[in-house]
Amino acid sequence: MVRSIKNPKKAKRKNKGSKKGEGSSSVPSLPTKVWQPGVDKLEEGEELQCDPSAYNSLHAFHVGWPCLSFDIVRDSLGLVRSEFPHTAYFVAGTQAEKASWNSIGIFKLSNISGKKRELVPTTKSTGDDSDMDGDGSDSDEDSENEEDGGSGTPILQMRKVTHEGCVNRIRAMTQNPHICASWADTGHVQVWDFSSHLNALAESETEANQGSSPAINQAPLVKFGGHKDEGYAIDWSPVVPGKLVTGDCKNCIYLWEPTSDATWKVDTNPFIGHTASVEDLQWSPTEVHVFASCSVDGNIAIWDTRLGRSPAASFKAHNADVNVLSWNRLASCMLASGSDDGTFSIRDLRLLKDGDSVVAHFEYHKHPITSIEWSPHEASTLAVSSSDNQLTIWDLSLEKDEEEEAEFRAQTKEQVNAPEDLPPQLLFVHQGQKDLKELHWHSQIPGMIISTAADGFNVLMPSNIQNVLPSGNA
């Protein structure tokens, strides 16, 4: 299981990122070639370069020590934001060289610039389609206008709270985003109230603060030491505010029930159904009592808290450790999982009774999957990160169309040397980060992904990802 960063050192900013990178060559007439990590090798003197045209926005920053986990915090700046420059809030926990040096950072990243791109509706307009047809040409003009998308370097402001031990994972509550839960390598789960820090950042002027101020000593609302070992699995219920599940490396899962806005009752009778470490947990996006878990034992379990402490269903999901899960909030029958062998699968939970619920299985990555998450704006799209230093974006609704490809090649003069075995569902490949650990879509900024790695954070918005308006939006 690849999770921890061995011998972490202070992160250094990397300026490289790539989307299907292009080697620099002394012969400019050579056609562009799609480069595949782990498959193709760089010749002497060649290097991968980031193609800025592949992104509407791309920024990199670091906060000192590497962060194994982070979470985007919902804010009050708007539910669907399309205008640059953007502002994002998030929390992250460090993995410092010494336990006493660790902290949780509360961040405000403002002046995130990029190329303007209009949002498009999820369904076809019933009016004149001429505006829709002209979107492509208009976006080209917009991309040339830097004033529309802001300019300059993003401004990072942060406040720090001391944290005992490395932060294995951290999650902010959806309904009350100032409430966050952290898993420590000391074996403790803690719940925090960061409202004062978030309010201070919201009211502060946009002056860069790279973390020179010392961390604040703040007592958590709750510090739970009932787990017999450290863990990584943790998730807040999207249906019931304050409801939490935590899982550890000793195969135990504990249920937290809120008794007030600042207190919880933890059931000391754990859920036990796995034979090895519980790696990730996901609440159902629609069911109050249902959650899913995955484990080093290769299994996924579905639990109903009303039915006792054994799983309602359990099945073999991968031939290696199952590292991560993501339950689709727009299509609640779909569950994605990523494995230590580099594969990830999509299951339709309605087919569980029939035995084979797998509707898609991908073997593109050759190293462990470290994070997987469905898009909050498009039900068929998900993002995946791997230890092969790639962040990939997939659209499961796409299929290979040879006639369409032939027509495209006939209309374009540029020769495209795409590998024949490249999955048609693969939309985008982002590179340039070392030892990718976790990614999250921004639920209020369509098309934005933030990722963390050993060498810092990236904020990216691929140019070929359609930024859609949620259904029913005015």
Side-chain angles (χ1 to χ4, degrees), residues 414-445:
E414 181 181 357
Q415 182 181 356
V416 180
N417 295 320
E420 290 296 325
D421 59 348
L422 206 64
Q425 294 82 13
L426 180 60
L427 281 182
F428 198 88
V429 177
H430 172 71
Q431 298 169 59
Q433 288 182 277
K434 181 181 178 182
D435 201 6
L436 271 158
K437 290 299 180 185
E438 194 167 285
L439 65 86
H440 295 294
W441 297 86
H442 200 300
S443 64
Q444 296 168 271
I445 306 177

Side-chain angles (χ1 to χ4, degrees), residues 162-291:
T162 57
H163 187 275
E164 183 183 353
C166 297
V167 179
N168 289 347
R169 197 160 286 174
I170 187 167
R171 292 291 181 264
M173 191 194 305
T174 302
Q175 302 90 343
N176 299 304
H178 60 282
I179 302 295
C180 300
S182 64
W183 238 127
D185 65 357
T186 60
H188 295 97
V189 178
Q190 298 172 87
V191 179
W192 307 83
D193 183 349
F194 292 143
S195 56
S196 62
H197 307 291
L198 290 167
N199 289 337
L201 289 172
E203 295 169 2
S204 66
E205 298 296 326
T206 54
E207 293 182 5
N209 175 3
Q210 291 294 340
S212 57
S213 58
I216 300 168
N217 289 316
Q218 176 180 328
L221 296 175
V222 178
K223 183 176 182 179
F224 177 65
H227 284 282
K228 300 300 187 290
D229 198 356
E230 67 174 309
Y232 295 81
I234 188 168
D235 195 39
W236 293 103
S237 168
V239 180
V240 181
K243 202 168 188 177
L244 182 72
V245 280
T246 55
D248 59 36
C249 295
K250 291 286 188 184
N251 81 343
C252 294
I253 300 170
Y254 288 87
L255 175 66
W256 300 50
E257 294 280 4
T259 53
S260 72
D261 289 340
T263 58
W264 283 260
K265 179 182 178 182
V266 185
D267 193 331
T268 55
N269 185 19
F271 294 82
I272 299 178
H274 291 291
T275 58
S277 172
V278 178
E279 298 293 277
D280 202 3
L281 290 161
Q282 282 275 285
W283 280 101
S284 163
T286 57
E287 299 291 334
V288 172
H289 304 285
V290 178
F291 66 89

Side-chain angles (χ1 to χ4, degrees), residues 19 29 45 59 61 64-65 121 132 156 210 225 233 236 241 254 296 318 331 357-358 398 424 466 469:
K19 181 248 182 189
S29 60
H59 300 282
F61 63 94
W65 294 109
M132 294 282 288
L156 179 66
Q210 291 294 340
W236 293 103
Y254 288 87
V296 166
H318 293 272
S357 59
V358 178
L398 299 178
Q466 249 189 359
L469 285 167

Side-chain angles (χ1 to χ4, degrees), residues 71-75 88-91 106 172 177-178 180 198 442 444:
D71 202 10
I72 297 173
V73 176
R74 288 182 66 88
D75 56 53
Y89 292 84
F90 58 100
V91 290
I106 303 95
H178 60 282
C180 300
L198 290 167
H442 200 300
Q444 296 168 271

Side-chain angles (χ1 to χ4, degrees), residues 299-361:
N299 292 338
I300 290 176
I302 309 296
W303 308 78
D304 188 324
T305 58
R306 299 165 297 183
L307 303 179
R309 292 299 181 264
S310 297
S314 182
F315 51 88
K316 190 71 174 179
H318 293 272
N319 294 322
D321 305 4
V322 188
N323 298 336
V324 285
L325 281 177
S326 181
W327 207 319
N328 195 323
R329 295 195 179 187
L330 298 180
S332 60
C333 60
M334 294 297 176
L335 186 71
S337 60
S339 173
D340 222 38
D341 61 9
T343 66
F344 66 96
S345 299
I346 315 299
R347 282 179 166 79
D348 186 336
L349 298 179
R350 296 171 299 183
L351 305 177
L352 276 181
K353 293 181 179 179
D354 299 331
D356 186 9
S357 59
V358 178
V359 294
H361 180 76

